[in-house]
Amino acid sequence: MPGVHLPLVGEVRFNLKNKILFSSLAVVMLVSVGIALVARYILISSLTRELEYRGLGIAHSIADRAAGLILTQDQAQLVSLAFEATTVGERKDLVAHIYILDTELHVLASTFIKPFDDELRTANIIPPGQSHSIKLLNTFDEPTYDVAVPVKEGIYSVGSVHVGLSKEHIDQIVGKLRMAFLGFIAGIFLIMTFISERLSRHITRPIHQLIRLSQEISRDNLDVRMEFGGRVGDEVIQLANAFEDMVKHIKEYRTELRRSQQKYRSLFHSGPDPIFVLDCETLSVLDANPIALETYGYNKIELLGVSFQDLSPEFVDACHPTFSMEDKDSQAGCMFLPKVINYKRGGEAFYVNIHACATTYEEKPAIIVSTNDIQDMIEKDAQLIQASKMKSLGEMSAGMAHEINQPLNAIKLGSEYLHLIAAREGDIPRDSLKKVTAEISRQVDRASEIITTLREFGRKADLTKEKMEITKPIKGVFNILGQQLALSNIEVVFHLAPELPRILAHNNRLEQVLFNLVTNARDAILAKETAWIKEGKDVEQLERVLRITSFARNGRVGLQVSDTGTGIPQSVLDKIFEPFYTTKETGKGMGLGLAISYGIVKDYQGDITVESVPGEGATFTMTFPAVP
Amino acid sequence: MRILLIDDERPTLDMMQLFLEAYGYEILTAENGEEGVAMYQRERPEVVITDIKMPGMDGIEVLTRIKALDPVTEVVVVTGHGDMDLAIQALNLNAADFINKPVQKDALEAALRRAQERISRHLGAENRVSMEDRGPVTVLEIQGNITSRSETVLQDAYNSLIASEKQRVVLKLQETATINGAGIALLTQLLMEGARKGMKAGITGISDNFRRVFEVVGVTRFATLYEGEEEAVEALSRL
């Protein structure tokens, strides 16, 4: 599972288990501290107060019994009363000292065994109107709470009783209480720790299993089992079940993927057409199937890493716009290149159609290129083109004979003249001799030019296209057809633009296309003438014009052949480039001319269209991409 | 003798002019049909040599126009090599003769000689037929051009041949004689009828041009062509 990072157990300290544990402990801790604070406040203050009340109780009981004794000034009884009071029950630890003062602050009795500190007499005087007074005093370096109550006889105050409560004792009691409380909280804390640890372990155990499982999956091991000890139904188990389902699906997809990969691999290996995988940037070969090796004559080790430029220079030139690295969107695209020359190992050239699509190969962008050997088809095509050319040549043999007869005739007459004069042993006038010899030479040139044109026309086209001017084939075609058109009284009008961009094509084949269009135009005009004669119209009025126009627009270069013939019915226009479709009567044309012309034009990324007004004529327009 | 040359090819006109001037003819030239007919009307030359295939007005039309202006004018048409259909079409329109391109000196000379003789003898449409017995073979000499007007004379001769019950005949044509389409048809018909009746026929005295025409139209199926009279008589005697 690329792209998903699964944490390993123990790798992260705050895993789920610890989080649950720590958070529950923190909650327990907070609650405990809160309780402790509240309890301390309530307990300690109430305890202190309780003890003070006890101190007050003691003081009051002494004061009740001491009133008489103070009035009688019985100091001995008062002292025994004070000591008695300190020894009753457990007061011994609580009560640090007791002393009794009269209204003049004279010490009537005290439990001190040391001399009475005079400062104590004035240390805690009961303010007037108060029933008691409690103050923290330091008696002999021992902190005590001094509880003072007045001794009353009737409504008169006769003295005061001071009970010193030992602060140390109180603090000890409080300390004991605190210790007990802390021990209780510590116990709860330990229990909670144990419980939450078990709880978090219980929650996280299936999750740990899931983690381990994912790790196994990421190591490509899909044969894993999960055991949750009979737990059913809770959320984690549901998650685990969903996970298990997912693993099952992944397994199925894996199997499916493997099967599909195997299928494609076998297609790649046993496919009838060469397939290459190219690096998107360098266009070097990353992989190739056996038929590619066989077709191109390489062995695998040689071919890997070879630039595809060596095999198909034209593809490399053409593919950059489609698979450019800058434009990532276009990488999704596919391209088709028809009739491209490729080279085998020894440099032998052959034609292929190329399909190329962007793909991913070992996680890098790549281009998958399939080539389809169409050498046989091209050869058949060439044969067909050649056959149609030969047929054209046959068709025009009569015209050609006439054409060659003209110069031959002049040559013959000139030489007969020379022969005649020579036979008479007469002198040839210098002017005549010059004229005749010059004319003979000129006519021989003319004849040989016709023959050259014919030979050029009959020749098979070369493998490679040439940069040529679109008007170039016009010369050849009108060398052959010009006189015939003139003899058929057809006027040829040229509108040739000067300085047109050049196109990439074969002159020879374009001649054939043009030848076909011009003869069709001628036949259309002659057919119109025949029709007019039949209808009894005045043939003198018949317009017999063939227009050849060249032009350049929108980066394309065009040639137009337009005639004033019979025209083509609308219903036929769509079918006119189909093979074996002909408007001529049976036996007068195979109907291959336009189909072959169409094929030739398409080979040069050209376009051929036809427009026609029936009865007015037809216009064929070819356009080709201009080359810089 | 004045000759009008009509051809759309300037070089041909020039060469032909030089060539014919060397023979002492007076030459007029025209580069197309219209100009040729106009010049004919103006100059009235005795002989017209015209190319058949020309842009605009072609040779056939020139021939028609000139024959309409003066039927006696000798019009020689120049045809492309092996263009027999056009040659026969021209002969049907009473062309005096035809020559093939490229023009052979001999053919041109012969055509002009015949034309000149015809003109000087004023052998119009009249035919004279003479019969001569040469053993088992009858030699039938025909003078003058063979045209549709020759029908009566030829039919008479044929009838007398049938009457004589001779089964072998040599048709001896005059060297200067021409034979037009109708004449060829007539001759073919008579020879065919004769052949059906078991007659063996030979023909002599025709030019090379007409030899080709006879072959094309099928005359040679009913009669054999021979170079000279003696040869013909001898060959037929042996049959």
Side-chain angles (χ1 to χ4, degrees), chain A residues 47-253:
Chain A
L47 185 70
T48 311
R49 196 166 302 121
E50 194 55 44
L51 288 171
E52 282 169 5
Y53 286 150
R54 262 183 89 182
L56 274 176
I58 294 167
H60 278 296
S61 71
I62 294 171
D64 285 345
R65 287 162 62 192
L69 296 173
I70 292 170
L71 290 175
T72 58
Q73 290 284 317
D74 186 354
Q75 287 194 352
Q77 278 297 318
L78 282 172
V79 171
S80 81
L81 181 65
F83 274 105
E84 201 178 305
T86 56
T87 52
V88 172
E90 288 165 23
R91 290 181 189 167
K92 166 164 85 209
D93 294 330
L94 179 64
V95 179
H97 59 262
I98 294 172
Y99 58 94
I100 301 165
L101 302 179
D102 62 14
T103 45
E104 275 83 37
L105 299 175
H106 293 123
V107 179
L108 300 177
S110 86
T111 55
F112 293 112
I113 44 174
K114 294 170 185 167
F116 194 86
D117 184 355
D118 270 349
E119 282 178 26
L120 283 177
R121 289 188 301 167
T122 53
N124 188 17
I125 296 167
I126 300 162
Q130 292 281 321
S131 64
H132 65 270
S133 165
I134 300 171
K135 253 188 190 166
L136 183 60
L137 299 176
N138 220 1
T139 47
F140 304 104
D141 295 330
E142 195 187 339
T144 50
Y145 287 102
D146 191 72
V147 179
V149 293
V151 181
K152 300 236 174 175
E153 184 58 48
I155 55 163
Y156 301 104
S157 178
V158 292
S160 59
V161 174
H162 292 254
V163 177
L165 300 176
S166 167
K167 185 170 184 293
E168 197 181 331
H169 181 70
I170 292 173
D171 284 350
Q172 264 175 21
I173 292 173
V174 169
K176 263 182 207 160
L177 194 65
R178 191 180 284 141
M179 280 309 292
F181 202 77
L182 279 178
F184 173 71
I185 289 200
I188 287 180
F189 191 76
L190 280 176
I191 290 165
M192 278 308 291
T193 307
F194 178 73
I195 289 173
S196 61
E197 208 272 341
R198 290 302 299 264
L199 190 68
S200 64
R201 191 182 292 277
H202 180 75
I203 292 172
T204 56
R205 200 175 59 220
I207 296 178
H208 277 292
Q209 283 213 28
L210 289 180
I211 292 169
R212 208 182 51 244
L213 207 65
S214 331
Q215 284 168 344
E216 283 298 317
I217 291 166
S218 71
R219 285 189 209 106
D220 261 7
N221 177 17
L222 291 180
D223 294 321
V224 283
R225 294 275 328 136
M226 275 183 282
E227 276 306 327
F228 298 112
R231 272 172 69 181
V232 279
D234 72 29
E235 286 85 344
V236 179
I237 299 301
Q238 284 174 18
L239 173 67
N241 287 343
F243 202 80
E244 209 164 22
D245 272 355
M246 195 178 81
V247 171
K248 208 170 83 191
H249 277 116
I250 291 174
K251 253 191 218 169
E252 281 168 14
Y253 286 129

Side-chain angles (χ1 to χ4, degrees), chain A residues 485 488 490 515-533 542-546 561-569 576 583-584 588 594 610-620:
Chain A
L485 292 169
S488 308
I490 293 169
F515 180 87
N516 184 258
L517 295 181
V518 170
T519 49
N520 277 349
R522 177 198 64 192
D523 293 349
I525 294 173
L526 294 183
K528 193 171 172 186
E529 183 187 22
T530 312
W532 277 34
I533 290 170
L542 183 66
E543 200 190 353
R544 301 151 157 274
V545 184
L546 198 155
V561 178
S562 170
D563 66 65
T564 57
T566 48
I568 306 157
I576 200 152
T583 52
K584 295 178 183 174
K588 271 214 173 164
L594 276 177
V610 57
E611 288 166 61
S612 177
V613 179
E616 301 278 307
T619 301
F620 284 84

Side-chain angles (χ1 to χ4, degrees), chain B:
Chain B
M1 191 167 76
R2 288 197 305 165
I3 302 173
L4 169 60
L5 299 176
I6 309 174
D7 199 313
D8 58 318
E9 284 270 317
R10 180 40 71 182
T12 303
L13 276 183
D14 288 349
M15 292 299 107
M16 183 109 79
Q17 182 174 13
L18 271 178
F19 180 70
L20 292 177
E21 275 171 355
Y23 281 92
Y25 297 116
E26 193 184 325
I27 303 298
L28 305 165
T29 61
E31 265 188 276
N32 60 54
E34 289 86 349
E35 200 189 312
V37 171
M39 188 168 281
Y40 174 80
Q41 274 180 301
R42 208 161 53 236
E43 304 284 342
R44 293 282 169 168
E46 291 87 349
V47 177
V48 176
I49 301 176
T50 179
D51 194 13
I52 284 233
K53 282 188 173 172
M54 287 187 293
M57 188 189 288
D58 64 9
I60 295 290
E61 189 159 1
V62 170
L63 171 66
T64 316
R65 297 267 182 99
I66 289 176
K67 280 288 173 184
L69 289 167
D70 182 0
V72 185
T73 312
E74 297 278 329
V75 179
V76 177
V77 294
V78 181
T79 62
H81 188 76
D83 215 349
M84 245 345 121
D85 289 345
L86 276 174
I88 290 165
Q89 198 188 342
L91 289 178
N92 277 335
L93 291 166
N94 290 321
D97 215 332
F98 69 93
I99 44 181
N100 280 318
K101 261 186 195 175
V103 176
Q104 302 282 333
K105 188 178 88 179
D106 295 346
L108 187 58
E109 266 176 17
L112 289 173
R113 198 172 59 241
R114 285 200 296 273
Q116 197 158 25
E117 270 183 46
R118 278 195 300 274
I119 291 161
S120 57
R121 287 194 206 166
H122 284 288
L123 293 173
E126 293 307 308
N127 294 105
R128 275 176 298 156
V129 177
S130 56
M131 280 205 262
E132 190 191 348
D133 261 351
R134 299 280 303 267
V137 182
T138 305
V139 175
L140 200 67
E141 189 177 356
I142 305 167
Q143 290 185 316
N145 300 332
I146 301 173
T147 66
S148 57
R149 281 173 288 182
S150 316
E151 186 171 357
T152 336
V153 180
L154 284 178
Q155 191 67 50
D156 287 350
Y158 174 75
N159 288 342
S160 52
L161 261 180
I162 299 296
S164 73
E165 296 192 342
K166 288 244 176 132
Q167 292 293 305
R168 291 158 177 52
V169 63
V170 172
L171 293 179
K172 186 183 172 188
L173 304 182
Q174 227 176 5
E175 214 198 328
T176 56
T178 66
I179 177 164
N180 73 6
I184 292 167
L186 185 63
L187 208 57
T188 312
Q189 194 197 336
L190 288 178
L191 285 170
M192 195 169 70
E193 275 177 34
R196 213 180 291 140
K197 290 180 175 156
M199 194 169 74
K200 306 280 185 228
I203 300 175
T204 68
I206 58 161
S207 68
D208 284 349
N209 278 348
F210 284 102
R211 215 173 251 277
R212 294 279 314 284
V213 175
F214 278 17
E215 278 163 16
V216 171
V217 300
V219 172
T220 48
R221 278 188 289 160
F222 313 111
T224 319
L225 306 180
Y226 297 102
E227 283 296 320
E229 184 187 339
E230 296 309 315
E231 189 196 336
V233 170
E234 205 176 307
L236 283 171
S237 303
R238 271 189 273 114
L239 286 173

